[in-house]
Amino acid sequence: MPQFDTPQALKIAVVGAGPVGLALALLGAHCLPHCELTIFDARELHAPNPGATRTLALALGSVQLLQRLGAWPAAAAEAITGVHVSQAPPSWGRQAELRLTAADQGVDSFGAVLAYGPLVQALQQAWEICAQAAPARLRSRFGTPVVALKNVGRGVEVDAGVAEVFDIVVIAEGGVFADQARKAVTHDYQQTAWVGTVTLDGATAGLAIERFTRHGPVALLPLPARSNWPNDPKAPNAPGAANECSARAALVWCADSRDDPVNELDDQQRIVVLNSILPAAAGRIAGISPLKKFPLGLNAERSLVEGRQVRIGNAAQTLHPVAGQGLNLGLRDAYALVQALRFGGDVDAALRRVEWQRAPDRWSMIAGTDFLARSFTWPLPGLGLARGLALAALDAAPPLKRALARQMMFGWR
């Protein structure tokens, strides 16, 4: 049996009570019983969250982690049981597509789709239960924005109205690309993501769709049949509202910001265009909600660790949504950090180990999504053909499909 040092009684601050910050705090509450943990967030505890309806795609590894933490809102989630990736014409002489099914990979699902609000609510409730059971070491500072951080000796000074020194500060307050200060590695893709929800006739339950077009990728993520979200396309007077048999899906439609083909279209025109570019496997779009738009870019730190400050999630890397892996990376960051701290020893060595362990997963995902995102802006003849050939080659190679599926579900291992 290996022998480990007794865990140190560290003081840890978590800045940001989004999904990644709350998951990190819950992991620490369960796995670091000798540590004091304090969560800081500018939002009041029960204040409405402006991003509550934002759609999240969680990989199977992330779902399993949240289930173990007792913070998985199963009733609000829709399982992803299949993935269909294809290249819109012109591609080559046959349909250029890649099909993956969870059953073929020996799992029930590849992950799940749900809204940001129910996930944060489940995590927050689980944290409050833990904090009430151990108030001497688990503390919440909601409604308390952190205005400054400063490395001091072997710790970090947190200025949140009153300065306090912690052994480690975990920064999990990321935000979206448009609102972030620029980090060490940054690129504006000059692309816009139009997001909303659609209703579909003839769709396959649990099937996630990604379609590569000359303007950018279009994704449909399966949603639960019923929803309390605002702007739901099944709401009265929405197109397709009368069709009670329609499936629901979250839409992410990426386009060139400099020549945006989506901006001037009304809802009916958007339905027509989407039906013309999506594959038959998606079904037919019958209704669409009002769409919101967000600029897309890459914004990443070269290092997760600076002194005793650790960045995770969007605070460490904000990616293009083409692979839908941003939150999953953040949850793996959180898990790796807690595992590195749980057995004691030198804190600075543990943080360096986290940096080293997370590098392959982080940089492979950063490089992969960056390459795909940039490729849609390259005016190269035959690029669609090349993507189509790559998809067809993957589809014809079961070992490569299995490796890709494992990467999707669990990241780099």
Side-chain angles (χ1 to χ4, degrees):
M1 180 73 69
Q3 299 296 312
F4 299 104
D5 295 335
T6 302
Q8 299 180 46
L10 298 170
K11 286 183 64 178
I12 301 174
V14 180
V15 181
V20 173
L22 285 166
L24 182 282
L26 272 173
L27 279 165
H30 290 297
C31 301
L32 305 175
H34 293 75
C35 293
E36 295 181 20
L37 283 140
T38 303
I39 289 182
F40 292 87
D41 198 279
R43 177 177 58 89
E44 296 290 344
L45 178 59
H46 297 297
N49 196 305
T53 60
R54 182 159 55 94
T55 302
L56 304 172
L58 291 179
L60 179 59
S62 298
V63 174
Q64 292 172 342
L65 173 63
L66 293 166
Q67 288 172 335
R68 291 198 297 271
L69 292 174
W72 178 241
E78 180 74 5
I80 300 173
T81 55
V83 176
H84 182 282
V85 185
S86 61
Q87 170 67 43
S91 53
W92 66 311
R94 51 166 285 189
Q95 173 71 10
E97 62 184 12
L98 168 66
R99 291 176 177 265
L100 298 168
T101 65
D104 287 346
Q105 305 302 322
V107 294
D108 292 331
S109 72
F110 291 119
V113 183
L114 77 167
Y116 182 96
L119 178 58
V120 170
Q121 183 179 19
L123 283 161
Q124 194 166 292
Q125 287 175 347
W127 166 255
E128 288 180 53
I129 290 170
C130 288
Q132 289 167 6
R137 71 180 190 91
L138 304 178
R139 304 180 183 91
S140 299
R141 301 281 298 278
F142 286 90
T144 309
V146 171
V147 296
L149 298 171
K150 183 172 72 173
N151 289 324
V152 288
R154 297 174 67 83
V156 183
E157 183 181 87
V158 177
D159 183 353
V162 176
E164 185 176 359
V165 175
F166 291 83
D167 296 299
I168 299 171
V169 171
V170 183
I171 305 164
E173 197 169 52
V176 297
F177 175 75
D179 300 330
Q180 294 174 338
R182 293 298 172 250
K183 301 180 172 68
V185 180
T186 186
H187 182 75
D188 186 343
Y189 295 123
Q190 297 294 308
Q191 292 179 29
T192 296
W194 292 87
V195 300
T197 56
V198 298
T199 53
L200 294 155
D201 293 333
T204 301
L207 182 63
I209 299 285
E210 181 133 37
R211 183 72 153 178
F212 296 144
T213 77
R214 65 187 182 89
H215 294 291
V218 180
L220 295 176
L221 302 172
L223 292 173
R226 297 289 180 181
S227 172
N228 293 320
W229 296 12
N231 297 327
D232 190 323
K234 278 196 172 184
N237 303 321
N243 188 348
E244 292 298 324
C245 296
S246 293
R248 301 176 60 253
L251 169 69
V252 183
W253 188 358
C254 300
D256 189 330
S257 303
R258 295 159 296 188
D259 183 22
D260 191 337
V262 184
N263 191 54
E264 300 303 322
L265 302 178
D266 62 28
D267 287 348
Q268 287 299 329
Q269 290 170 328
R270 288 171 177 174
I271 291 173
V272 170
V273 172
L274 285 168
N275 280 328
S276 72
I277 61 179
L278 287 167
R284 298 285 297 174
I285 292 179
I288 189 168
S289 73
L291 303 183
K292 297 180 180 179
K293 63 178 182 177
F294 302 93
L296 300 176
L298 167 66
N299 202 28
E301 298 287 6
R302 295 192 186 278
S303 172
L304 294 178
V305 179
E306 180 190 349
R308 291 287 184 88
Q309 298 180 42
V310 185
R311 291 182 176 272
I312 62 175
N314 271 20
Q317 62 270 318
T318 299
L319 310 180
H320 191 286
V322 64
Q325 288 295 314
L327 176 55
N328 298 303
L329 270 181
L331 292 174
R332 296 197 290 268
D333 293 339
Y335 181 82
L337 176 58
V338 171
Q339 292 305 304
L341 295 173
R342 68 181 302 185
F343 298 123
D346 182 84
V347 173
D348 297 297
L351 297 183
R352 288 193 297 270
R353 189 161 61 250
V354 171
E355 184 77 65
W356 178 80
Q357 289 175 340
R358 293 297 301 137
D361 191 22
R362 286 188 73 227
W363 289 106
S364 64
M365 193 59 65
I366 289 170
T369 56
D370 185 54
F371 173 80
L372 275 176
R374 289 176 189 256
S375 73
F376 293 107
T377 67
W378 294 338
L380 300 177
L383 199 57
L385 171 62
R387 274 196 296 261
L389 288 169
L391 289 173
L394 267 176
D395 197 55
L400 292 178
K401 289 175 71 172
R402 284 194 295 271
L404 177 62
R406 296 290 297 179
Q407 174 79 7
M408 287 169 45
M409 292 186 287
F410 303 111
W412 182 286
R413 288 188 170 183

